Amino acid sequence: MTKPINVKIEMPTVVKQRIKAAFDKLDKNGDHMVTRDEMNSVITAKWKKDVANGSTAPLEPLLEASDKQFEEFDTNGNGFDLTEYEAMVGEEYMLKYLNELGLKVDISPRG
């Protein structure tokens, strides 16, 4: 039986670069902030492409999930800056990166 360990891993530069690239795509006006409107326009555009390709998924749940992310991670109410965006997506990007390296990581809570 393996024992769980608690490890704090510094986010590698390559992961930070990927997060920054994604952030820059969302930051449509280049002001170093991602507003709800910018995020929702990206979500809506992606949804329209999916619908054109046959998807029947409704748009509203996607926008609601975006609103929840803003409520949780937009600490000052003016949109995401890069630090807030990194806090929101960093774990997901880090897990993808570790998977690419062939490392299996279980982050499920132990209790």
Side-chain angles (χ1 to χ4, degrees), residues 7-26:
V7 177
K8 180 164 175 63
I9 300 174
E10 174 96 18
M11 192 176 300
T13 301
V14 67
V15 175
K16 289 184 177 193
Q17 290 170 336
R18 290 176 185 180
I19 292 171
K20 173 86 168 78
F23 179 85
D24 289 345
K25 286 182 182 179
L26 294 170

Side-chain angles (χ1 to χ4, degrees), residues 39-101:
M39 181 72 82
N40 288 345
S41 74
V42 170
I43 291 170
T44 301
K46 170 81 168 86
W47 174 80
K48 286 179 180 179
K49 285 181 185 177
D50 290 347
V51 167
N53 289 323
S55 174
T56 59
L59 175 60
E60 195 60 35
L62 301 173
L63 297 177
E64 288 173 4
S66 175
D67 283 342
K68 286 180 183 177
Q69 288 177 320
F70 273 87
E71 289 168 14
E72 183 175 350
F73 292 98
D74 180 14
T75 58
N76 55 12
N78 66 343
F80 294 131
D81 61 21
L82 182 57
T83 301
E84 291 167 324
Y85 184 73
E86 190 175 275
M88 181 178 72
V89 300
E91 184 176 287
E92 177 185 343
Y93 274 76
M94 190 67 179
L95 289 174
K96 285 180 183 179
Y97 176 71
L98 292 172
N99 187 49
E100 289 171 11
L101 295 176

